[in-house]
């Protein structure tokens, strides 16, 4: 047995690969484990033993969660109502964005019309365009329309931000439906809209759900516009904005805020795990073609 | 209409389709126009006007135009300082995120038990709410009770806790030399690498799984070692995806606001241009100057986008 370069490389890579995988797994999950663990510990325990990765099992507490969820009037941080705000904003964004994006995506993928290619580029540009550049004019506009401080203004902005991505994801899916299926419907006397409703939409349902969840996650996680529009109205804060505002103050203890972080993160991670395959496929379908 | 009494069937369907197509797309176009394009145009107007935050309610669309805002923005030392910071931050974050994504994708290329779970788990930093993950990082790195500093003191014998997010300049001792390092900026870059490597990983893994295996098998038969196969066969085929990822990450990082604002608030040598725009708007309450600064940012972005579209077109042209 001689140690050729090939053998050495294979041996080294054979060892390296599991090491790399474990490293990445620890690096991605450790902060989330830390979040969960701190949320269950009393603050005194954290200050006494900052280095421990494992909480004292007897000392676990759920009072942090009660604290963060309870209304402000009862001495809590009012996260329950902030969660309600976020849920309303995100759900409204999903419903309207899908209602707009489904016909749009169908048109871009199936129908030949003047300016179709330009429209696709326009959406790409809008998708890539950064929020901070839009933040100032939108701030001014909504102030003048007296929509600043209202959840409607925020939903409008989220719809505009998510419709282009939604169209991109749905378009990829509509393109995989064989045209012959739709033509059969047209021959049978359905109108285009009838074809979309009766044939294409049911076939595309999984990807419509994945797209809806993606929009929900974007709206739920968004921070900048919530900060600009809602900061003066504590009763209308989204839950992300609430956590950001409170984490700046020294009055709320870290473990309570950790409970808040868990409460924000959990719905998103659950939704993500439920639809992970669909989402990844929807997003990367362009990449596989090279 | 006599000529259309016996219409060519295909043609009318086509015309109908064209009309339906535009009709179906109208809601999208209206909202994109109202909430993206019109505001952008307005932003350019505001950049040439004197507008303070208190005037917003009664300003006119075409009030007197002036170059003051740009003069003010260009004259400030802070602009060049923050542009330098932004460029360093963008280049560093993009490099770290794409490299980590590539390493992770290569490690997960071949199936093993639990691969599906590992793959999904590695995407969590990217989908989790930014406010929550920045908060956890702030606590992890906290000098008083953060676990990184308390382990650093125990395991590596650090004398003092490191203020990762509030120290502009630190020193590390390498071979007896004290090398100055921008601590907070590097920490923020590490965070970006952590948060955005999943994005690169997802796309690279998708491309890797779609690569045809025959070339590599042939190379193996010819005696190419694993690193040679990677260098000469796999990497060239990944290059187009890597190029697109680099451009996308550059565009997004260049304008990133949330992450830095939430981690450091722009302090300790991390004031990037987008955070400065926010400060001009809310702290200095100078809407005009903020708009001028953001228009400048948009101009840089348009150049980057142009490069991206050009790259995309060239790629499509190269396809058979």
């Amino acid at each position: 047995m001689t140690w050729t370069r090939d053998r050495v490389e294979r041996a080294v890579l054979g060892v390296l690969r599991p090491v790399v995988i474990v490293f990445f797994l620890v690096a991605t999950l450790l902060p989330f484990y830390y979040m969960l663990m701190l949320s269950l510990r009393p603050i005194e325990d954290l200050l006494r033993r900052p280095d421990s990765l494992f909480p004292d099992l007897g000392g676990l507490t759920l009072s942090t969660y009660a604290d963060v969820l309870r209304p402000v009037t009862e001495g809590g941080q009012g996260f329950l109502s902030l969660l309600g705000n976020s849920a309303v904003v995100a759900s409204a964004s999903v419903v309207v964005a899908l209602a707009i994006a489904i016909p749009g995506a169908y048109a871009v993928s199936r129908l030949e019309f003047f300016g179709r290619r330009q429209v696709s580029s326009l959406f790409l540009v809008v998708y890539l365009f950064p929020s901070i550049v839009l933040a100032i004019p939108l701030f001014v506009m909504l102030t003048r329309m007296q929509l600043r401080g209202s959840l409607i203004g925020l939903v409008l902005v989220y719809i505009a931000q998510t419709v282009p991505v939604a169209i991109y994801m749905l378009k990829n899916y509509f393109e995989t439906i064989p045209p012959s299926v739709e033509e059969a419907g047209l021959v049978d006397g359905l109108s285009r809209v009838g074809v979309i409703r009766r044939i294409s939409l049911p076939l595309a349902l999984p990807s419509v759900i994945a797209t809806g969840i993606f929009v929900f996650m974007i709206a739920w996680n968004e921070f900048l516009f919530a900060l600009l529009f809602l900061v003066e109205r504590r009763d209308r804060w989204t839950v992300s904005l609430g956590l950001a505002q409170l984490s700046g103050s020294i009055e709320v203890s870290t473990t309570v805020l950790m409970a808040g972080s868990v409460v924000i993160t959990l719905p998103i991670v659950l939704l993500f795990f439920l639809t992970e395959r669909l989402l990844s496929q929807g997003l990367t379908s362009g990449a596989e073609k090279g | 209409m006599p000529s259309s009494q016996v219409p060519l069937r295909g043609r009318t369907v086509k015309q109908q389709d064209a009309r339906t197509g535009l009709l179906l797309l109208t809601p999208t176009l209206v909202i994109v126009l109202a909430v993206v394009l019109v505001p952008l145009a307005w932003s350019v107007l505001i950049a040439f006007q004197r507008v303070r935050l208190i005037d917003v309610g009664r300003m006119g669309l075409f009030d007197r135009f002036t170059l003051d805002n740009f003069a003010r923005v260009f004259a400030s030392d802070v602009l060049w300082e923050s542009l330098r910071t932004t460029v360093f931050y963008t280049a560093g974050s993009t490099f770290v995120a794409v490299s980590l994504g590539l390493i992770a994708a290569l490690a997960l290329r071949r199936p093993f038990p639990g691969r599906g779970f590992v793959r999904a788990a590695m995407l969590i930093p990217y989908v989790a709410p930014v406010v929550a993950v920045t908060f956890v990082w702030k606590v992890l790195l906290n000098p008083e009770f953060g676990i990184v500093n308390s382990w650093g003191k125990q395991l590596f014998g650090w004398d003092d806790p490191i203020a990762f997010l509030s120290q502009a300049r630190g020193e590390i001792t390498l071979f007896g030399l004290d090398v100055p390092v921008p601590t907070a900026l590097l920490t923020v870059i590490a965070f970006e690498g952590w948060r955005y490597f999943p994005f690169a990983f997802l796309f690279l893994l998708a491309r890797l799984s779609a690569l045809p295996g025959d070339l590599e098998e042939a190379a193996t038969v010819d005696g190419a070692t694993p690193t040679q196969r990677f260098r000469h066969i796999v990497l060239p085929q990944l290059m187009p995806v890597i190029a697109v990822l680099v451009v996308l990450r550059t565009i997004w990082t260049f304008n990133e606001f949330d992450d830095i604002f939430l981690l450091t608030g722009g302090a300790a040598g991390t004031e990037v241009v987008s955070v400065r725009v926010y400060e001009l708007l809310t702290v200095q309450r100078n809407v005009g100057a903020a708009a001028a600064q953001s228009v400048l940012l948009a101009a840089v972005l348009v150049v980057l986008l142009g490069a991206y579209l050009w790259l995309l077109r060239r790629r499509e042209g190269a396809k058979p």
Side-chain angles (χ1 to χ4, degrees):
Chain A
M1 282 224 297
T2 50
W3 284 98
T4 61
R5 177 176 166 186
D6 191 52
R7 280 181 57 91
V8 174
E9 280 188 12
R10 275 168 200 269
V12 171
L13 289 176
V15 176
L16 216 54
R17 208 165 66 100
V19 172
V20 168
I21 292 170
V22 169
F23 166 79
F24 272 100
L25 207 57
V26 170
T28 48
L29 292 184
L30 195 69
F32 294 99
Y33 169 74
Y34 188 69
M35 184 194 284
L36 189 66
M37 183 205 52
L38 284 200
S39 76
L40 295 168
R41 278 168 78 179
I43 182 79
E44 299 80 25
D45 186 37
L46 167 66
L47 295 176
R48 205 170 50 241
R49 311 180 298 135
D51 54 338
S52 82
L53 260 183
F54 303 100
D56 174 9
L57 281 180
L60 290 188
T61 171
L62 283 174
S63 64
T64 47
Y65 287 86
D67 241 17
V68 83
L69 293 174
R70 220 178 314 146
V72 184
T73 47
E74 292 168 32
Q77 303 304 331
F79 265 43
L80 202 58
S81 70
L82 303 189
L83 282 168
N85 288 345
S86 279
V88 167
V89 168
S91 313
S93 306
V94 170
V95 171
V96 184
L98 283 181
I100 293 177
I102 288 170
Y106 185 84
V108 174
S109 71
R110 268 290 188 274
L111 304 173
E112 224 20 273
F113 57 88
F114 179 71
R116 186 170 103 155
R117 284 197 49 175
Q118 285 76 0
V119 163
S120 297
S121 316
L122 174 73
F123 290 161
L124 185 66
V125 171
V126 170
Y127 175 48
L128 296 179
F129 226 83
S131 336
I132 188 74
V133 179
L134 286 172
I136 290 155
L138 284 175
F139 181 83
V140 174
M141 256 170 81
L142 291 179
T143 308
R144 290 186 62 126
M145 292 159 71
Q146 309 206 319
L147 278 177
R148 194 151 66 83
S150 87
L151 297 181
I152 297 175
L154 200 61
V155 170
L156 268 180
V157 174
Y158 290 171
I159 294 167
Q161 300 257 304
T162 51
V163 161
V165 207
I167 288 190
Y168 169 80
M169 288 175 73
L170 289 170
K171 183 189 88 161
N172 284 334
Y173 200 84
F174 279 133
E175 275 167 0
T176 63
I177 299 174
S180 56
V181 181
E182 295 182 355
E183 275 154 22
L186 284 176
V187 171
D188 287 346
L190 281 177
S191 66
R192 264 294 167 191
V193 179
V195 167
I196 299 176
R197 253 193 36 205
R198 302 277 181 78
I199 301 175
S200 316
L201 206 52
L203 282 173
L205 201 61
S207 101
V208 171
I209 293 172
T211 309
I213 286 174
F214 193 61
V215 171
F216 188 92
M217 297 198 319
I218 292 178
W220 183 275
N221 291 351
E222 205 280 336
F223 171 65
L224 172 61
F225 288 112
L227 172 70
L228 279 176
F229 300 163
L230 301 177
V231 73
E232 290 142 21
R233 301 285 308 259
R234 177 159 184 166
D235 56 320
R236 300 216 174 126
W237 282 356
T238 61
V239 74
S240 278
L241 178 60
L243 180 62
Q245 292 299 108
L246 295 179
S247 70
S249 80
I250 39 169
E251 285 139 42
V252 189
S253 89
T254 303
T255 51
V256 169
L257 290 173
M258 276 300 171
S261 307
V262 173
V263 167
I264 296 187
T265 310
L266 209 58
I268 292 299
V269 170
L270 285 181
L271 275 179
F272 171 71
F273 265 95
L274 286 178
T275 49
E276 186 259 323
R277 298 225 154 246
L278 276 170
L279 266 182
S280 317
Q281 274 167 17
L283 281 173
T284 59
S285 50
E288 277 151 40
K289 292 173 206 149
Chain B
M1 288 193 287
S3 64
S4 64
Q5 264 175 353
V6 192
L8 289 170
R9 218 186 125 72
R11 196 177 179 191
T12 43
V13 166
K14 215 174 165 183
Q15 280 171 350
Q16 262 178 19
D17 275 1
R19 199 178 314 147
T20 324
L22 277 178
L23 211 65
L24 292 178
L25 207 56
T26 307
T28 310
L29 290 176
V30 168
I31 190 142
V32 166
L33 198 71
V35 187
V36 179
L37 298 181
V38 169
L40 269 184
W42 198 7
S43 187
V44 176
L45 287 184
I46 297 175
F48 289 97
Q49 294 171 330
R50 280 179 66 96
V51 186
R52 314 284 303 181
L53 200 56
I54 40 167
D55 311 326
V56 161
R58 52 195 151 84
M59 58 181 278
L61 199 50
F62 296 102
D63 278 354
R64 208 165 62 80
F65 292 111
T66 160
L67 284 172
D68 285 0
N69 293 324
F70 285 96
R72 195 192 148 100
V73 165
F74 275 112
S76 130
D77 294 336
V78 186
L79 170 73
W80 304 108
E81 181 64 42
S82 70
L83 258 181
R84 250 204 318 276
T85 310
T86 311
V87 169
F88 183 75
Y89 162 71
T90 306
S93 308
T94 304
F95 176 77
V96 174
V98 176
S99 314
L100 287 178
L102 179 62
I103 295 170
L106 288 170
L108 259 74
R109 189 178 179 195
R110 290 187 211 306
F112 57 87
R115 186 172 81 144
F117 168 76
V118 174
R119 198 180 89 116
M122 278 177 23
L123 295 173
I124 298 180
Y126 184 62
V127 296
V130 61
V131 179
V133 291
T134 47
F135 180 62
V136 172
W137 269 64
K138 266 162 53 180
V139 176
L140 274 167
L141 299 174
N142 186 296
E144 283 152 44
F145 52 80
I147 199 165
V148 172
N149 271 309
S150 68
W151 281 35
K153 277 190 275 187
Q154 286 174 19
L155 295 179
F156 307 114
W158 296 350
D159 301 330
D160 295 308
I162 300 175
F164 286 99
L165 292 166
S166 53
Q167 184 185 46
R169 297 246 159 255
E171 279 187 349
I172 43 172
T173 313
L174 274 182
F175 313 113
L177 282 172
D178 287 337
V179 187
V181 285
T183 314
L185 192 53
L186 290 181
T187 310
V188 175
I189 289 175
F191 174 81
E192 293 289 292
W194 178 80
R195 183 158 151 79
Y196 294 104
F197 91 85
F199 181 77
F201 159 74
L202 187 64
F203 279 78
L204 287 167
L205 191 63
R207 185 77 190 101
L208 269 177
S209 337
L211 286 187
D214 43 1
L215 262 180
E216 277 177 87
E217 277 158 33
T220 314
V221 173
D222 287 345
T225 68
T227 51
Q228 285 170 334
R229 292 202 300 273
F230 170 72
R231 171 72 191 77
H232 297 286
I233 296 171
V234 176
L235 193 59
Q237 296 185 80
L238 289 182
M239 256 355 240
V241 181
I242 293 178
V244 169
L245 285 171
V246 167
V247 177
L248 281 178
R249 284 308 329 151
T250 303
I251 290 170
W252 278 325
T253 318
F254 200 80
N255 300 281
E256 180 64 63
F257 170 82
D258 298 358
D259 304 23
I260 289 200
F261 180 77
L262 288 164
L263 280 173
T264 67
T270 60
E271 189 179 54
V272 291
V273 179
S274 59
V275 173
R276 183 157 161 70
V277 171
Y278 175 80
E279 266 175 10
L280 283 171
L281 181 69
T282 60
V283 181
Q284 304 197 21
R285 299 175 169 266
N286 190 338
V287 183
Q293 179 86 74
S294 79
V295 165
L296 213 67
L297 195 67
V300 177
L301 183 78
V302 166
V303 174
L304 290 176
L305 270 176
Y308 173 60
L309 288 176
W310 178 76
L311 206 74
L312 212 65
R313 195 146 307 156
R314 219 184 52 162
R315 241 182 86 197
E316 270 168 15
K319 259 194 262 177

